Amino acid sequence: FHFASNPGRGFVTCDSNVCEDNFLHSDLSPSAPLADNGADLIREQIEEMRTEAMVRLEKLNKKLDRESDSIMAESSGKLKCYNTKDLRGNKHHAHESSISIKDARNDQEPERLLEDTSWKITMMIGRESGTWMPKEWGSSGERILLNLAVKFSGNQFGASEEFLGSKLASKKLYVINNELIVAPSLTEGSRKISVKNGGWRVLLGEGPAGTDLLRFFVEIEEKAEHKGSDVYCPKGRIYCTCGYFPATGRPSGIKESIRKEQEAINRRYDFLKREEEEDTSILSLRKITRSKQMFDLLNENQKLTERMREARIQEPQKDMLRFTENGTTALTKEGGLSCKVMKGLTMEYHILGRFSIASCETSERTNNLKAHTLSP
């Protein structure tokens, strides 16, 4: 008699010897009905065997859990796991050398690291996925490029702006020469547009995976467009958002630790898979145990993949960032643009495109080096 069950752990089979005489030598045909007493006895025996099998299954499952935990501990070795809260830089500290971005920062206010720095910005106005701009706006795929330079000051902004949030935490953004340059197109040359100063603020922990965001805006005083084009930049405030990454001094090591854990899991999984291919038995305790181990390893690897995704957001590669000249802070090299639109009593932010940014100090230093190199 075989009793099979599948409680989420694969098939578990228990064998129990049954008195064959009760089945093979009893006439169970309709022409020879079994006596009531005999039928009751058989039913009782079956029920007893079923109960015994269930008890054995429960013991087996507990044993499988213990073995799986032991094997997982062996495969991890001395490698450490980091929970999501640790990776997101919450108030909890990651284990030992795993220092999150926020934990590794200077004790001073990190948003002040951007004060008195100047940046060159190129706004690429054009249709982006998810925009609420009119359907015909930018449908040709054309873009308008707007170039300007700004300085993030430490002076309080002092006015109310929903995009920035706290009035006290917002600071003034100065537009160099209070102008931007509309890049030339195939049909017309470049031209200048007057721009008013704006404001800026760093929002700590408000970005993806608990990262920081930089929000700032400028206000252009006339509509920017090219003749015959289906894309334009409306007059008014243009809102910009990008990632903000104060320098930590050294990498936290989280990505490397996760990578090592994944390598250990992959080695263990490959070993079990080879064992599985060489195992010719149909069903055995070892085969069942191995299947559960492989399933658990796949789940653990999936969790580590998600943690790695968050770690890469929190600690992006350097080529994704643009640093200040002194290297104390960095911004993501690209960000998003939007404008504010009133729809009745509702206020909406419509996507206008994206922008690229680079430190003016770095650009000036590079140009000076080139001029020095080329000079006779």
Side-chain angles (χ1 to χ4, degrees):
F1 147 66
H2 298 278
F3 183 84
S5 173
N6 185 14
R9 297 179 174 84
F11 280 95
V12 180
T13 305
C14 295
D15 295 325
S16 180
N17 294 324
V18 182
C19 180
E20 295 182 350
D21 292 341
N22 291 333
F23 292 91
L24 300 179
H25 302 295
S26 296
D27 190 351
L28 300 180
S29 64
S31 59
L34 186 67
D36 291 341
N37 291 339
D40 291 341
L41 180 60
I42 292 174
R43 278 194 292 268
E44 289 177 3
Q45 291 176 342
I46 292 175
E47 188 62 32
E48 289 176 0
M49 289 185 288
R50 188 190 305 274
T51 302
E52 180 184 357
M54 291 301 294
V55 171
R56 293 175 63 184
L57 277 174
E58 184 64 24
K59 291 181 179 179
L60 178 60
N61 287 331
K62 289 181 179 179
K63 182 178 179 181
L64 287 175
D65 289 336
R66 288 194 300 270
E67 290 186 2
S68 177
D69 292 340
S70 175
I71 291 172
M72 286 300 295
E74 291 176 5
S75 64
S76 297
K78 295 183 179 180
L79 299 175
K80 298 173 176 61
C81 295
Y82 306 92
N83 59 45
T84 303
K85 290 185 178 179
D86 293 331
L87 284 172
R88 289 181 179 175
N90 289 349
K91 295 181 179 179
H92 307 286
H93 291 276
H95 303 299
E96 295 187 3
S97 63
S98 62
I99 303 174
S100 67
I101 289 175
K102 286 185 173 60
D103 296 330
R105 288 183 179 142
N106 192 303
D107 291 336
Q108 299 178 352
E109 297 176 276
E111 62 270 24
R112 299 199 62 182
L113 297 172
L114 196 60
E115 292 180 6
D116 298 322
T117 61
S118 300
W119 300 77
K120 182 172 61 177
I121 297 171
T122 298
M123 296 182 177
M124 298 166 279
I125 309 297
R127 195 164 195 88
E128 298 282 345
S129 175
T131 184
W132 289 353
M133 292 294 284
K135 291 183 178 180
E136 62 277 9
W137 182 85
S139 60
S140 65
E142 185 179 347
R143 290 186 180 271
I144 296 177
L145 304 183
L146 310 178
N147 298 297
L148 69 158
V150 300
K151 180 177 181 179
F152 294 91
S153 79
N155 301 327
Q156 190 171 347
F157 180 57
S160 178
E161 169 54 60
E162 180 193 42
F163 182 71
L164 300 180
S166 171
K167 184 190 298 186
L168 295 176
S170 302
K171 299 173 184 178
K172 286 185 179 180
L173 177 77
Y174 294 108
V175 179
I176 307 301
N177 297 326
N178 287 110
E179 65 181 17
L180 63 76
I181 298 177
V182 181
S185 68
L186 294 175
T187 58
E188 56 185 349
S190 62
R191 65 188 180 96
K192 295 181 179 180
I193 292 180
S194 297
V195 185
K196 291 182 179 180
N197 296 326
W200 69 279
R201 182 190 173 196
V202 173
L203 285 78
L204 302 178
E206 297 295 323
T211 55
D212 299 336
L213 287 180
L214 170 64
R215 286 185 177 179
F216 63 95
F217 74 89
V218 297
E219 185 173 349
I220 66 174
E221 298 194 76
E222 63 179 280
K223 184 178 181 181
E225 62 182 339
H226 288 305
K227 293 180 181 179
S229 174
D230 61 357
V231 65
Y232 60 87
C233 182
K235 173 185 176 180
R237 291 185 172 181
I238 307 302
Y239 299 97
C240 310
T241 305
C242 65
Y244 178 77
F245 293 90
T248 61
R250 62 184 178 88
S252 68
I254 292 178
K255 290 189 288 187
E256 183 62 25
S257 296
I258 295 175
R259 189 177 294 111
K260 288 181 178 179
E261 286 190 76
Q262 288 182 314
E263 289 174 356
I265 287 176
N266 289 335
R267 287 195 299 270
R268 179 60 183 166
Y269 184 85
D270 290 341
F271 174 77
L272 293 174
K273 188 175 182 181
R274 288 193 299 270
E275 271 196 347
E276 181 74 14
E277 293 172 352
E278 295 171 0
D279 191 347
T280 58
S281 62
I282 299 176
L283 282 176
S284 65
L285 176 60
R286 179 59 187 166
K287 197 176 187 73
I288 296 168
T289 304
R290 189 190 304 115
S291 296
K292 185 177 186 302
Q293 292 168 6
M294 293 173 69
F295 179 77
D296 291 341
L297 288 171
L298 289 174
N299 283 340
E300 184 63 23
N301 190 61
Q302 182 62 36
K303 293 177 183 178
L304 289 173
T305 299
E306 177 60 24
R307 291 173 185 168
M308 179 64 84
R309 186 190 69 82
E310 291 188 355
R312 284 172 176 164
I313 294 173
Q314 293 178 335
E315 297 184 2
Q317 298 295 326
K318 286 187 177 180
D319 60 359
M320 300 298 294
L321 302 174
R322 294 295 179 262
F323 288 83
T324 55
E325 184 178 13
N326 59 13
T328 57
T329 191
L331 306 178
T332 50
K333 66 180 183 179
E334 286 195 347
L337 297 171
S338 61
C339 64
K340 193 181 294 184
V341 178
M342 292 297 299
K343 290 289 187 72
L345 299 177
T346 304
M347 184 182 299
E348 299 175 347
Y349 289 91
H350 292 192
I351 299 172
L352 283 177
R354 58 184 183 269
F355 69 91
S356 62
I357 191 166
S359 170
C360 282
E361 292 97 336
T362 303
S363 299
E364 290 173 1
R365 184 175 63 178
T366 301
N367 291 335
N368 291 336
L369 287 173
K370 288 181 179 179
H372 179 73
T373 303
L374 296 174
S375 62

